[in-house]
Every structure is written in C-alpha cells, then in structure tokens.
Amino acid sequence: MKKREFKAESKRLLDLMINSIYTNKDIFLRELISNASDAIDKLYYKSLTEKNISISKDELNIRIDIDKENRKIVISDNGCGMTDSELENNLGTIAKSGSLAFKQENEEQEDVNIIGQFGVGFYSAFMVSKSIEVLSKSYGSDKAYLWKSSGEDGYTIEEATKDTNGTTITLNIKDDTEDVKYSDYLEEYKIRSIVKKYSDYIRYPIIMKVENRVLKEGSKDEYETVIEDNTLNSMTPIWKKNKNEITEEEYSNFYTDKFYDYEKPMKVMHTSVEGNCTYTSILFIPNHAPYDLYSKEYEKGLQLYSNDILIMDKCSELLPDYFNFVKGIVESPDLSLNISREMLQQDRKLQIIAKNIETKIKKELLDMLNDNREEYQKFFKTFGTQIKYGIYNDYGMNKEKLQDLLMFYSSNKKDYITLKEYIEQINEGQEVIYYACGETVDKIDMLPQVEQVKDEGYDILYLTEYVDEFVIKTLMNYENKNFVNICSKDVNLGDAKEKEKLEKINNKNKDMLSSMKEVLKDKIESVRFTNRLKNHPLCLTTEGDISIEMEKVINAMPTDEKIHAKTILEINENHPIAEKLIKLYKEDKDTFDKYTKILYSQARLIEGLTIENPTEISNIICELISK
Ligand code: ADP
C-alpha cells in the first residue's frame, strides 16, 4: 500500500492549524458532528430527488462511542459516505471543502442546508488524536475504504469492509501531557457537555451509549448497571419555532438554562429578519446584574449560530459595550463563517446584524421608558451605570445615542426623571440645567447652596453616582442648555440690585477677606461674602472644571495623580457670623485667624471632605471653648 502525501502544503498548514487556529480543543467534536450531519443531509437530499434511493428518516442518526480502555472515540453516521476518490479529495487536501462545492452546485435548490463551509473542520480532530481512521462506504456502492493518518506524515487508503453506508471515524486519543489532560475526552460527561454546548440543535439524534444504574427487576434495593442508548441533543432550537408559538415560559426556560441565571429575564426581544442579511436574534435583558458585570473578567457577547451550530459562545462584535449586559443568541445562515475571530470582525453581514441589534435594544428601552416606567426605573437602577459609561467612554462618541436613556433624581419631582422631562418642565427664561453632586440624595439636599436654587423654583438634578459628573461634563449641554453645578460660582441667581449690594459689601471688606485668604494660604483661591445661602453660614464653591466631587473620585483612584478643585470659601453676609468676623478683624486679629481656620474646616466637612489638620483645629476649638 502506497503512502500518500498530503497535498498542497497541507503538511505545514495542518501543523499550523493544529497548533494555533483552534485554541479551543473541544470544538473538534463539533466539527466532526457537523460533518456527519452534513453527510446525512446530503443523503436525505438525494433521496428527495432520486427515486432509487430510499431511506427511512427515523433511522438517520449520529453515534458517539467511547472506548476508554483503548483510548478511542468513535463517531459514526449513516449519511452519504465517501468513495475512495472522495476520501482522497476531501481528506487529502486541507481547506478544500467538499460541502462548499456541493452547495455551489446546488445553489438554486432551496432545500440544501449544508452547515460545514469551514474547510478545515475535519483536521481539528488531530488536536486531540494521535491518529485517525476513517472507514467509509458511499451510499449505493458495494465497496468500503479505510483512510488512515497520524497527521504529519501523510495518509493511506485501503479497501475495507463495512456493512452499511456512512462513515465511521475513529480517533486514537493522545496521551496526557503536563498541559493537557486528553483523557477528559474519554469521559462521558465531557462528551455530553460538549455536545450540549455546541451541537444541541443538530437535526439528527446524536446517540451515545451510557451506563445507567437501575433497580433490579423485582428488587427494592438492588441495583444493576445497564447500558442504554441516550440521545444527547435536544434537536429543536427555539429560534426555529414560530414567534407566536413560543410561550413566555419557554423563553424564560431557554434563558435560564442557557445563560445560567436563576431568575427569569426582565425583557425578551425576538426578531427575525429576512432579505439581504437573514438572521434571527433572541435577546434578553436580565433582571439583575451578573455579579461580575463591573469586573475585568466579564465578557460581553451573544452566542452566534450558523445553521443551528454554535460558532462562537460570546461574539463580542455583536454588542456595543454600553449594552454589554444583554444576553442572547443570533442565528444566521448567511454568515460566511471563518474560524478566526479576526475574519469574523471584518464580516460585513455581522456588522449589519450588530447595528440592527443595537438599534433594536435602544428602541426597546425607550419603549419601556414610555410604557412601563416602573420597569424602566428598575432597569436603570440595575444597568444605568453601564449606559453612563457608554456616554463617557470613547470621547463621548455615543453620547447623542444614549442621552435620552439617562435618569437622574430631580429635586422637584423627588423621583428620577429624564433630561427630556427636565426640559419639558423648565421655568420660562431658565437657560441652564442645574445639578448638584454628592454621595446621597439626602446629603445633597443638605448642601447650603441647594436651598436658594430650590427657593427660586428651579429643579436640580442630584448626581449621586461617581460617573455622573463625568457624564454631564461629556454631554456639556442638552437641547442647547448648559449644565451648571450649583456649587460652582457660575450660578447666577438673584436680581441686579442685590448683586450690586453684595459687590459693595465685598469691596468694603476687601482687606479682611484677603487677610482670611492669607491665613488659609493656597488651600483656597479666595474668600468672599455671599447672599445665596439663606440660613446657612458658609459653604465652599468651586471655580473651573474640577468640582469637589470629582476631586474626591479621582483622588480615591489608585494612581499617583492627585487633583485639586479650586475652591472659594463663601460666607453668608446675612448671618451673624459675618458681623462677628468684621468685628474680630479690627479688634482681635489672633482670634480672627483662628476663626478663619475653623470656618474653613467646617466648610470642608459640609462638602464631605476631611479636615487636613484635625489636631490643630481640635486644639483651637478647645482653646476657644476654655476662654
Ligand atoms: P468541511 O466540512 O468544512 O467541508 P472538512 O475538512 O471537515 O471540511 O471535511 C472535508 C470534506 O470531507 C467535507 O466537505 C465532506 O465532503 C467530507 N466529509 C467529512 N466528513 C464526512 C462524513 N462524515 N461523511 C461524508 N463526508 C464527509
């Protein structure tokens, strides 16, 4: 028997492929099962058009048998089989796909549904096998042939005997190495789980003999081991069913099974698109965030199927980052699927599907916002942060797309509202959108600056999450209205007369105010009197881009870079403390300096900042008390 060389640089390719293309070894089984399913498809298809072929549909199946002792996995089908020249042509050349040729020849026939167009599928079995034997008998032929190869050094084909048509592939599983425990593939549970994961929706039964322990007949406590055939795959994918035939429960079960959730999803979106790019997608918004959503380990993505075979478990190209919490599947017969992720990324059809999916999710969320506010609020509480990141990331590239999905707490409504709703109820002549930042709604509500803005009838958005302010800064404005932090000096309330009066007071006490600034040195930019604090004695305001909240957030990050908000100490000119200061400045400069330090520390505490020199401040207070 002549040993034949693999054709066309196959050797090198084979090597390359085994070692690099498929990093996930499990998929060898998917490839072989797909081939078997294709082969049965082909025979079945032929039987429809050729009278002399009669097959019984019920008997079409794929078998997997494990021989642990001899380290063999046997995969057999009763499909079309291969002649010797087909064995030579199909398995002698890597990347020549027989399925593809068949599909092209029969392009007009609608019924042709051939899954394997990947070209190198069969050879992936060498990832786990020392050697492979393919025993095949073409339907209608009386001869069978045995193809053998150990990968690198070519293959042989010899005549053999086989009773029935179809192909039987025997894999001689590699010995375990330090890195890979190939023996795992000889375990029933392993095979079962790979089939479930990748080939659950293959149309033909995938049967494996399994050992079951059952009660002995007539006995109550004696068991015996029986070997039974077990069908591993469920065969009908939910997306093959008619949309209006699927019950809510079926969706829920599919979701919880597939995505390992214990709770049913908040929302199901089922879309079927036909035409240029045909696909079906079933998407789910979970009811709660996965525990690792905000960790680096979290992988977004949808399951991608082509003709009911899982191609990729988490196809990240199908989901934008800001919708990374969405789970689901996409099935498309149209994808020219290639094994590498890089090629998939460039696939135009995949890009179209991704675009459609994004639009669909957004529309669904806006609908939820309009039709079921309670549900939307729950959604936003769970996943809103992700949407916020979406606005802030990529230099705000997606801000327009996402801004209407945002919600913030409103001081007027005492509930969450959208930016659109803020604008809809805005006061006449109000040119800006007011916001304030803090740890909680209650804490913000207690900020000295809040009172006057509220009293003047303006609504304030309370930002309590640390990304919030970055979001606002990225948005810059909404419907031509700028965002203004009520704690910044940009707030411009009160009438002209009052402002003039305030300016006079500030001018008159210029020396005193700069003396306070001197005491506090570069901790603050300046000190001034204000008339916007109602009953509160003092506050810290900021000027420039960095707010106090931002300073807190950024300085809490584990980097060396520390930032400082430019702060101004404001003192309520209507509060008795103002008068006291003016008096002390003239009469007792030493106490005046001490008061200044205490007032500054108080202002920091109000803002949720720490006191920089607690011992000094504590000593001063005790000294003053003891007087
Ligand atoms: P692909 O499946 O992508 O075409 P493969 O390398 O997996 O590439 O298989 C090459 C060809 O070998 C297939 O196209 C098919 O014609 C043939 N083949 C593989 N497995 C079987 C099988 N079980 N029965 C019949 N033909 C098969």
Side-chain angles (χ1 to χ4, degrees):
M1 189 178 26
K2 186 168 146 253
K3 188 126 200 169
R4 308 176 210 206
E5 289 285 309
F6 282 117
K7 287 178 193 160
E9 288 201 82
S10 292
K11 250 171 97 168
R12 216 172 65 82
L13 254 171
L14 189 62
D15 208 43
L16 233 158
M17 196 204 60
I18 292 171
N19 294 314
S20 69
I21 296 181
Y22 289 119
T23 44
N24 175 7
K25 295 197 187 324
D26 290 359
I27 57 95
F28 82 89
L29 193 59
R30 175 190 80 180
E31 297 299 318
L32 296 186
I33 290 173
S34 299
N35 282 350
S37 170
D38 278 358
I40 301 175
D41 268 352
K42 280 182 203 170
L43 182 62
Y44 181 66
Y45 168 68
K46 265 193 182 159
S47 78
L48 297 177
T49 51
E50 289 171 35
K51 282 199 194 72
N52 55 346
I53 300 181
S54 72
I55 51 164
S56 155
K57 221 185 156 188
D58 297 341
E59 282 165 20
L60 298 173
N61 63 36
I62 299 161
R63 297 197 62 99
I64 303 176
D65 293 290
I66 304 173
D67 177 354
K68 218 166 161 174
E69 216 172 297
N70 297 307
R71 296 184 73 81
K72 285 180 200 294
I73 302 176
V74 181
I75 294 127
S76 37
D77 65 71
N78 46 12
C80 62
M82 283 178 272
T83 63
D84 57 343
S85 66
E86 280 169 340
L87 275 171
E88 160 98 47
N89 287 330
N90 292 336
L91 304 187
T93 315
I94 294 176
K96 174 184 187 307
S97 168
S99 298
L100 192 63
F102 183 84
K103 183 154 183 168
Q104 278 159 355
E105 277 167 31
N106 295 273
E107 201 66 89
E108 303 87 67
Q109 301 287 341
E110 275 192 2
D111 260 325
V112 188
N113 193 1
I114 305 293
I115 48 191
Q117 293 172 56
F118 321 123
V120 286
F122 170 77
Y123 294 91
S124 62
F126 281 111
M127 288 191 298
V128 299
S129 315
K130 284 195 269 205
S131 63
I132 300 176
E133 285 143 40
V134 181
L135 176 63
S136 197
K137 190 175 181 185
S138 178
Y139 186 90
S141 159
D142 51 4
K143 280 186 178 152
Y145 294 92
L146 180 64
W147 180 100
K148 277 193 209 167
S149 171
S150 55
E152 307 109 37
D153 58 347
Y155 59 96
T156 59
I157 296 175
E158 63 196 274
E159 242 187 271
T161 48
K162 187 177 188 304
D163 292 342
T164 52
N165 63 283
T167 304
T168 299
I169 298 176
T170 306
L171 310 179
N172 296 297
I173 298 300
K174 286 183 183 173
D175 297 325
D176 291 353
T177 64
E178 251 172 47
D179 302 328
V180 191
K181 203 167 158 249
Y182 292 101
S183 304
D184 282 350
Y185 293 111
L186 297 162
E187 298 295 339
E188 186 190 305
Y189 78 90
K190 178 76 176 171
I191 297 297
R192 188 190 280 277
S193 73
I194 302 177
V195 170
K196 199 79 198 150
K197 181 166 179 191
Y198 291 105
S199 311
D200 198 35
Y201 307 121
I202 290 285
R203 280 180 295 275
Y204 307 102
I206 301 168
I207 298 166
M208 182 161 73
K209 275 201 167 44
V210 292
E211 285 184 6
N212 280 336
R213 271 171 68 73
V214 293
L215 267 181
K216 250 189 176 161
E217 228 179 71
S219 161
K220 281 199 179 113
D221 49 9
E222 256 188 287
Y223 285 85
E224 62 181 345
T225 306
V226 294
I227 298 178
E228 289 177 323
D229 272 354
N230 223 313
T231 300
L232 306 181
N233 54 331
S234 69
M235 290 183 273
T236 24
I238 191 169
W239 57 85
K240 275 276 142 67
K241 294 187 183 172
N242 212 325
K243 220 163 127 174
N244 41 31
E245 281 167 14
I246 308 173
T247 62
E248 199 182 312
E249 198 188 347
E250 262 179 284
Y251 280 125
S252 288
N253 289 343
F254 175 74
Y255 168 78
T256 48
D257 274 6
K258 194 129 216 136
F259 301 105
Y260 311 108
D261 201 345
Y262 53 87
E263 228 185 326
K264 59 183 204 171
M266 181 187 288
K267 193 110 218 139
V268 182
M269 303 165 248
H270 187 163
T271 323
S272 292
V273 176
E274 270 177 46
N276 232 350
C277 179
T278 299
Y279 73 92
T280 297
S281 67
I282 305 181
L283 310 175
F284 303 92
I285 297 177
N287 227 321
H288 59 110
Y291 70 96
D292 57 349
L293 182 64
Y294 293 104
S295 79
K296 262 212 237 102
E297 280 69 44
Y298 183 79
E299 266 184 86
K300 64 164 183 169
L302 300 175
Q303 285 199 334
L304 185 60
Y305 287 82
S306 181
N307 288 302
D308 309 340
I309 299 164
L310 181 66
I311 298 305
M312 204 178 277
D313 198 21
K314 282 190 174 150
C315 181
S316 62
E317 289 76 16
L318 285 170
L319 280 180
D321 282 342
Y322 39 87
F323 292 150
N324 71 349
F325 48 84
V326 173
K327 305 268 177 213
I329 63 100
V330 171
E331 144 73 38
S332 172
D334 273 5
L335 293 172
S336 60
L337 280 163
N338 273 294
I339 34 169
S340 83
R341 220 162 231 281
E342 290 70 36
M343 280 167 119
L344 200 59
Q345 262 167 14
Q346 289 157 15
D347 193 290
R348 228 178 56 79
K349 287 202 168 129
L350 196 76
Q351 286 168 6
I352 296 173
I353 297 175
K355 196 98 219 91
N356 288 354
I357 283 177
E358 178 180 346
T359 313
K360 172 78 190 164
I361 298 171
K362 188 186 160 189
K363 186 180 170 296
E364 200 71 27
L365 290 174
L366 286 175
D367 285 352
M368 198 204 284
L369 175 65
N370 291 326
D371 304 339
N372 188 346
R373 196 174 179 93
E374 205 179 312
E375 188 170 52
Y376 187 81
Q377 244 164 277
K378 181 169 187 279
F379 159 79
F380 196 75
K381 216 170 153 188
T382 316
F383 298 113
T385 312
Q386 206 50 40
I387 308 270
K388 291 172 185 174
Y389 279 124
I391 291 188
Y392 161 68
N393 285 339
D394 298 320
Y395 309 99
M397 205 167 80
N398 301 302
K399 64 180 181 184
E400 255 111 60
K401 256 189 254 172
L402 300 173
Q403 59 187 5
D404 285 324
L405 294 172
L406 289 173
M407 279 195 137
F408 296 109
Y409 184 89
S410 137
S411 65
N412 263 359
K413 279 264 156 59
K414 299 201 172 11
D415 202 351
Y416 285 80
I417 63 167
T418 62
L419 295 175
K420 205 182 205 142
E421 286 160 351
Y422 185 99
I423 297 288
E424 277 163 9
Q425 46 112 56
I426 207 162
N427 293 351
E428 223 186 271
Q430 182 182 341
E431 289 307 327
V432 298
I433 300 172
Y434 289 112
Y435 70 91
C437 308
E439 272 167 62
T440 61
V441 164
D442 287 345
K443 279 194 179 171
I444 299 177
D445 222 29
M446 284 186 280
L447 284 178
Q449 297 91 329
V450 163
E451 201 175 352
Q452 192 202 13
V453 183
K454 261 172 51 177
D455 275 5
E456 303 245 344
Y458 296 112
D459 192 10
I460 309 170
L461 298 176
Y462 287 3
L463 314 189
T464 49
E465 229 189 339
Y466 81 85
V467 308
D468 286 349
E469 210 176 352
F470 295 92
V471 169
I472 294 296
K473 291 265 186 258
T474 309
L475 288 177
M476 289 190 289
N477 54 55
Y478 181 81
E479 295 200 355
N480 297 323
K481 299 210 184 304
N482 287 336
F483 291 96
V484 170
N485 188 339
I486 61 153
C487 296
S488 76
K489 69 173 196 163
D490 304 338
V491 179
N492 208 355
L493 296 175
D495 58 27
K497 230 164 124 189
E498 270 180 35
K499 277 181 205 158
E500 206 178 304
K501 189 180 144 215
L502 182 65
E503 211 175 303
K504 266 192 196 147
I505 294 171
N506 270 314
N507 267 335
K508 201 173 140 200
N509 296 291
K510 214 167 59 205
D511 291 347
M512 180 205 89
L513 293 168
S514 32
S515 168
M516 287 178 88
K517 151 80 184 150
E518 262 161 48
V519 173
L520 297 170
K521 307 219 174 65
D522 50 9
K523 286 180 185 140
I524 50 162
E525 299 301 304
S526 61
V527 185
R528 68 175 181 224
F529 282 123
T530 180
N531 58 4
R532 61 180 186 136
L533 286 179
K534 289 276 165 181
N535 304 313
H536 302 277
L538 48 80
C539 71
L540 272 189
T541 57
T542 52
E543 63 181 13
D545 276 340
I546 303 164
S547 72
I548 289 173
E549 281 309 305
M550 237 182 220
E551 174 183 314
K552 282 190 233 165
V553 170
I554 291 184
N555 290 353
M557 288 179 184
T559 58
D560 288 340
E561 216 171 303
K562 298 292 172 217
I563 61 160
H564 282 287
K566 289 184 176 171
T567 52
I568 298 164
L569 177 61
E570 294 199 327
I571 298 173
N572 188 351
E573 54 121 346
N574 297 314
H575 193 278
I577 192 71
E579 224 171 286
K580 179 85 180 179
L581 280 170
I582 295 168
K583 194 162 169 257
L584 276 179
Y585 177 61
K586 284 185 202 138
E587 295 170 5
D588 181 356
K589 180 69 170 57
D590 184 49
T591 310
F592 171 83
D593 289 354
K594 286 174 180 153
Y595 272 40
T596 301
K597 285 182 181 172
I598 293 174
L599 293 178
Y600 170 66
S601 304
Q602 285 179 323
R604 286 184 65 85
L605 286 178
I606 292 172
E607 287 294 339
L609 295 165
T610 54
I611 298 178
E612 292 146 321
N613 45 352
T615 318
E616 187 194 352
I617 298 301
S618 164
N619 289 348
I620 295 174
I621 293 174
C622 288
E623 192 196 316
L624 291 173
I625 293 173
S626 323
K627 258 190 191 167

